[in-house]
Structures are given as C-alpha cells and as structure tokens.
Amino acid sequence: MNSVNIPDKLRLLNSNSEVALELIDFIKERKFSKIALITTTTPNYLITNELEIDLYKYLETCSMPLLKTFQVITPSVSYVNQLQLSDFDLIIGIGGGKVIDTAKYAAHINNIPCVSIPTSISNDGICSPIAVLKEKQNKHVSLGATMPVALLVPLHLIEKSGEESLISGTGDLLSNLSAIEDWKLANKETNEYIDDYAVMISENAALNLFTQVKNYILQNKSRDQFLKDNLKMIIESIALSGIAMEISGTSRPASGAEHLISHSIDELFGGLKPHGIQVAFGMYITTFLRSELGYIPENTFQELRAVLRYLSLPTTLAAIRITKEQLVKAIIHAPQTRAGRYTILNKIKLEEKYIEEILNELFEERLGLNITQIF
Ligand SMILES: [Zn+2]
C-alpha cells in the first residue's frame, strides 16, 4: 500500500504576522534551517518581505542557516529544472496557483518538503500532490508533485485576491462531481481501479459547496453574501479535494472530461479564462451529455445550471468568449490532451455534425425552468 501524506498543519489565518508566527513555530519544531522561498514580485511582496525578516531573525539562532528568495517570472518545467535547490531542507511557496505548483514540483524533483502559503485560490492545487506547469507553447502538463507538509492560508489576502480568482476556485471544486462520474464510468466500462475513499472525500468536498449554494438560492441570498459567509468552507473543501488526489495517487478524483475540454481550449486557443472557470464550463457540457445519454436525471443538469449561474460561472458561449465552431474543435481534440483517460467523451461520436447538434441543443434556451421547479 502506498503511504499517504497529509499536511501536519492546516491553519486559516487573518494577518501576515499570524502567518509568520505559525510558520516559524513549524520550522522550529521540525528543525529546518535552510529555506528557499518561492514567490512572485506582485502582489505578494508585502507578506514575503515580512516573512523574510522574521525568518532571517529566527535563522540567526541556527547554525549554518540559509535563506534565499526565488522570484518566479515564468512558471514552467524548464524554470523549475534550472533552480539550484540541493542545499535547502525546506521550500516555501507563497503566491497564487502557479507559484504553489512551482514550489510543489521543485520540492518533488529535489526531494525536499514544502509549505504552501496560497494568496489566492483560483484552482484546487493549494494542497495537492499534482502540479500543472507549462512545458512548451500552450502545452501544460500535469506532474507528480510533493504534497505540502503544512498549509497556511492567509484569509485576509485571499479575500482581497479578486472575485474572478475565488469564483475560479469554486469552479475547479465543483468540477469534482463531473470527474467522479467519469471515474465511475471508467471503472464500469474498462475496469479501471477506483478508490472508494478518494471518491467519498472528493464528492463530499464538492457537495459541501453545491448544497450550500442551493440553500442560498432558495433563501434568496446574494452571491456576494454566499462568498463572504462560506470562504472557510470553500478553502477547506479544496484542501480535502487535494487529499483525495493524494489518497488515490492520481488526479482522477478531480479531473475528468471537463478538464480535458479545458486543456483542449488551452492548447488550441491559448486559454480563454482562468482554469477553474474553463473546467466549470467543461462540466456544463459533460453534465448535459450525461443527462442526454441517460446516465443522470435531467434534473441534475438543471440543478447544476442554476448553481453555475448563481456563482457567475459560464453557461453560454459568450461568457467564455468562444465560438461554437471553436468549441466543436476543442471537444473533438479533448481526449488527445490526456491519452488513456476514459470519460463520457468515449461514449459519443466525436464528429463535427454530432457535436454541433448537441451544442445547439445545450445553448438554445429550451431549458428555462424556475428555481422552485428545479430544487
Ligand atoms: Zn483543475
């Protein structure tokens, strides 16, 4: 049986000084003294500066300490490969998704533990064993990475990180529901191994969000109110989603056909929206397909549509700035972005005419029921 790494420390914090305190405590306890900070210049320089000062003060008390900050300009596989990290015993990633992925992958190839300090949550990678990094041109690869030993979340910075980024995080989390459907399908059709525990965690993490959105819709509460009241739940659910990937040793609990469609959009058109927003759009399509093919009740699709709309996640071509012709191409190309991943796309004819018909049906407004009929 594979060993499962789960962070020793998970803290949601409210100021830079709280983050510094928890970080130094952890470093002291685990006796780290050679530290590489991986970050970007903006907008995280303030917290990085404060942490550098506090770390410097603490490390003065250690023998032979080392502290160096690496500013990521272009996060990519080749950037990580050229980093000289063999002298360090801990990597700390401070920043958005790309920085955290860079830190987790650098930790993996150098066999050094890492701490994740995410300043935004635009995807589900804040605490997962997978990093998505650019390889060449628009091609992104999913790589094995080190699960962080500690996750310190500065809530005050995430609150300020912008609405689009937070909405993108909710999209990536919701997409677990589509990914799990594909995993179950692959297990049934091809006998692919499925990890029940990972399914349970991933599904419940996404359902926390889904159910809570439904409650807010039924109570007529605004989306802004929802985001304000539920930030902790969203972050904790995203952390659980990462743990599901760690338990199963694959991205399966959080990545199915909806991710393949998003990767395909990235490859063909250079990425039109942040990752979580694109995968939510992918999920809108894959859930419709499942409902059309009779795998799920139509009402499940209607519910998803209401939830996506409430969160301002895309349910129209215009919202993602893609034409129908481009989307047809992206769906046909999608399975090639990850060979061997069996999904709902294996159940349909990947032909222009057929996909076009499906999309015509999906994007014409024949499905407009009111909320009380849906929930
Ligand atoms: Zn994702």
Side-chain angles (χ1 to χ4, degrees):
M1 196 182 151
N2 295 333
S3 65
V4 172
N5 297 307
I6 286 171
D8 295 345
K9 190 172 225 179
L10 191 169
R11 294 275 190 281
L12 305 183
L13 304 156
N14 292 301
S15 68
N16 290 357
S17 53
E18 275 183 33
V19 176
L21 217 64
E22 290 289 350
L23 182 66
I24 306 282
D25 258 11
F26 180 75
I27 288 171
K28 218 185 269 183
E29 196 183 289
R30 299 283 293 263
K31 299 188 170 50
F32 293 116
S33 61
K34 300 177 194 317
I35 292 163
L37 284 178
I38 295 186
T39 187
T40 47
T41 41
T42 53
N44 315 306
Y45 69 95
L46 278 180
I47 185 168
T48 309
N49 288 354
E50 284 189 45
L51 291 180
E52 272 172 338
I53 294 166
D54 288 343
L55 282 168
Y56 186 77
K57 263 191 237 155
Y58 165 68
L59 290 173
E60 274 185 328
T61 65
C62 304
S63 70
M64 311 275 288
L66 194 56
L67 178 63
K68 188 171 174 182
T69 301
F70 297 86
Q71 305 276 10
V72 184
I73 300 194
T74 317
S76 63
V77 175
S78 56
Y79 172 79
V80 177
N81 285 337
Q82 56 81 41
L83 288 175
Q84 302 286 327
L85 295 168
S86 53
D87 292 339
F88 297 93
D89 59 16
L90 182 69
I91 292 173
I92 300 172
I94 310 171
K98 299 262 186 321
V99 170
I100 301 298
D101 277 1
T102 302
K104 288 187 306 182
Y105 183 58
H108 177 71
I109 59 173
N110 291 281
N111 202 17
I112 304 169
C114 75
V115 170
S116 167
I117 307 182
T119 54
S120 68
I121 46 159
S122 56
N123 63 46
D124 63 13
I126 57 170
C127 189
S128 78
I130 286 158
V132 178
L133 287 171
K134 201 179 260 192
E135 202 176 34
K136 50 190 170 212
Q137 287 164 344
N138 292 325
K139 179 91 183 154
H140 282 76
V141 277
S142 225
L143 303 148
T146 295
M147 185 74 170
V149 284
L151 173 61
L152 306 178
V153 185
L155 285 174
H156 59 296
L157 297 183
I158 286 174
E159 275 164 358
K160 282 190 274 177
S161 66
E163 192 183 278
E164 191 179 54
S165 146
L166 184 55
I167 292 297
S168 174
T170 63
D172 209 9
L173 176 58
L174 277 179
S175 81
N176 288 10
L177 297 172
S178 167
I180 293 292
E181 287 292 332
D182 278 333
W183 203 7
K184 287 178 179 168
L185 183 71
N187 172 254
K188 189 166 153 259
E189 301 284 337
T190 70
N191 219 14
E192 182 180 321
Y193 173 74
I194 193 163
D195 186 316
D196 296 336
Y197 213 84
V199 167
M200 179 184 77
I201 293 177
S202 165
E203 214 164 28
N204 279 293
L207 281 174
N208 283 342
L209 172 62
F210 196 88
T211 313
Q212 191 66 326
V213 170
K214 268 169 52 175
N215 291 337
Y216 271 64
I217 294 175
L218 289 169
Q219 290 166 34
N220 257 325
K221 289 186 184 168
S222 74
R223 187 198 62 156
D224 290 352
Q225 188 65 44
F226 170 81
L227 293 174
K228 200 166 159 248
D229 296 347
N230 292 282
L231 186 59
K232 283 185 182 184
M233 179 272 284
I234 295 169
I235 293 167
E236 285 166 358
S237 300
I238 285 177
L240 283 174
S241 179
I243 288 169
M245 290 186 246
E246 171 67 13
I247 288 173
S248 62
T250 142
S251 63
R252 263 296 191 186
S255 171
E258 74 299 325
H259 271 67
L260 302 186
I261 293 171
S262 172
H263 296 327
S264 182
I265 292 173
D266 290 341
E267 280 183 25
L268 298 178
F269 312 114
L272 304 169
K273 289 280 172 182
H275 171 80
I277 292 181
Q278 283 189 184
V279 299
F281 183 65
M283 179 188 194
Y284 185 59
I285 298 164
T286 56
T287 308
F288 181 67
L289 273 177
R290 286 185 200 104
S291 141
E292 288 288 291
L293 298 174
Y295 286 98
I296 54 171
E298 193 194 323
N299 200 53
T300 306
F301 169 73
Q302 298 282 2
E303 285 193 1
L304 174 73
R305 178 171 142 124
V307 166
L308 293 179
R309 287 192 167 178
Y310 178 81
L311 289 170
S312 312
L313 283 162
T315 56
T316 62
L317 294 164
I320 207 92
R321 292 203 203 113
I322 196 167
T323 65
K324 197 166 49 179
E325 292 67 34
Q326 285 176 317
L327 186 55
V328 169
K329 281 199 181 83
I331 294 172
I332 292 174
H333 177 66
Q336 291 164 47
T337 63
R338 184 161 192 147
R341 179 143 293 190
Y342 192 93
T343 69
I344 192 70
L345 297 178
N346 291 76
K347 292 302 246 181
I348 59 166
K349 282 183 281 175
L350 286 171
E351 289 166 5
E352 249 173 64
K353 199 168 170 297
Y354 176 74
I355 307 283
E356 213 180 292
E357 277 167 22
I358 292 273
L359 294 182
N360 283 341
E361 217 176 316
L362 173 60
F363 293 112
E364 75 185 32
E365 295 284 322
R366 70 170 177 90
L367 302 153
L369 298 177
N370 72 38
I371 296 301
T372 43
Q373 285 170 290
I374 297 168
F375 293 134

